Amino acid sequence: MSFAGVSAKIREDALQHVPRRIELLEHTVSLLELEGTPLPAKESRELQILQRFAAADANIDSSYRTRLTNLARRIASLPQQSGAPPSRAMHDCGDRPNERFPPGTRIVSVSETVVRREEAFSSEEVAVLPPRSPAEVLQIGSDDAGRRILIKHNADTTGWVSVVTSRGTPLWEEDTEASNRTAQSVAAFLRPTPPEGAGEASRLASPEEVDAVALLAA
């Protein structure tokens, strides 16, 4: 086979892998946007390679060029490697947003959330939790921005997550339903046993009792 033929074959094979490579890069950027972390050098080079390939090949589907343009715009909005300063929205949450969730707090995810094995953003990915995933806070992180907490989602999933993005957008909120259920159960347990024959209403904790237990537990 001639050099031109080999070159054409290589380009044809590469073109077949472009959709999958773009899809993987889009997924990576989505996770980085959730965490508010910079794009690693490897993925940055991947975008440059795909952009050059798209610019050089007139036969590539125009939708791929559009997706690459959108990717470039999203990547440009990510923090720089040196670290972007916290936004005003983060300051509104306090100097350390993770302090809003002390150990033992029941929380629920606001959006898709990345769980990592260690506190560092570069550590191994353990899981990606969907929105409305419940968890319990085990530890507050020591990162400078005060964004990281250690959580337990279930028996198989424990790891570190961010409570807000680098721009201060909340990723977790307190699970008030779980807190109310706990307060209701404790209040009912602390109440004296009602007299024999008492109605069911007298067995339930009153709102005042629930509030009192919630204050004690706060």
Side-chain angles (χ1 to χ4, degrees):
M1 183 181 292
S2 66
F3 175 80
V6 172
S7 178
K9 177 61 175 175
I10 292 174
R11 295 182 69 83
E12 180 182 351
D13 291 342
L15 182 61
Q16 292 178 351
H17 293 289
V18 165
R20 178 57 178 164
R21 290 171 67 175
I22 293 177
E23 181 181 348
L24 290 174
L25 188 56
E26 286 173 332
H27 177 69
T28 299
V29 171
S30 294
L31 296 181
L32 294 173
E33 286 174 333
L34 285 172
E35 294 186 325
T37 51
L39 185 75
K42 177 182 177 182
E43 277 69 24
S44 181
R45 288 195 298 271
E46 173 73 350
L47 175 64
Q48 293 172 3
I49 292 172
L50 290 172
Q51 286 175 322
R52 287 200 297 268
F53 187 86
D57 197 323
N59 296 321
I60 193 170
D61 194 306
S62 61
S63 65
Y64 298 152
R65 291 193 177 90
T66 300
R67 291 168 68 181
L68 288 171
T69 300
N70 291 337
L71 271 172
R73 186 181 66 252
R74 292 167 62 189
I75 288 172
S77 67
L78 290 172
Q80 300 302 308
Q81 286 289 349
S82 57
S87 68
R88 174 55 53 185
M90 180 175 288
H91 285 298
D92 292 341
C93 293
D95 292 335
R96 297 185 62 80
N98 55 7
E99 291 180 352
R100 294 184 293 126
F101 303 123
T105 303
R106 297 283 184 174
I107 57 177
V108 61
S109 59
V110 175
S111 60
E112 190 176 72
T113 305
V114 181
V115 183
R116 297 192 179 278
R117 189 169 303 281
E118 304 294 340
E119 185 176 355
F121 287 107
S122 58
S123 68
E124 178 186 356
E125 180 181 308
V126 174
V128 177
L129 302 181
R132 309 310 299 171
S133 295
E136 180 182 357
V137 179
L138 301 180
Q139 181 183 336
I140 293 178
S142 58
D143 60 300
D144 292 339
R147 293 170 50 201
R148 306 291 279 172
I149 57 174
L150 178 64
I151 66 162
K152 180 177 182 179
H153 170 57
N154 54 35
D156 299 321
T157 307
T158 298
W160 291 86
V161 299
S162 294
V163 298
V164 295
T165 68
S166 62
R167 295 173 179 80
T169 304
L171 297 175
W172 293 84
E173 63 185 12
E174 185 174 358
D175 190 348
T176 54
E177 292 183 4
S179 299
N180 288 339
R181 287 194 300 270
T182 300
Q184 182 73 247
S185 299
V186 174
F189 176 78
L190 294 176
R191 293 192 72 192
T193 303
E196 187 69 27
E200 183 63 27
S202 66
R203 299 177 182 271
L204 298 177
S206 67
E208 292 78 10
E209 290 172 320
V210 173
D211 289 343
V213 172
L215 286 172
L216 288 173

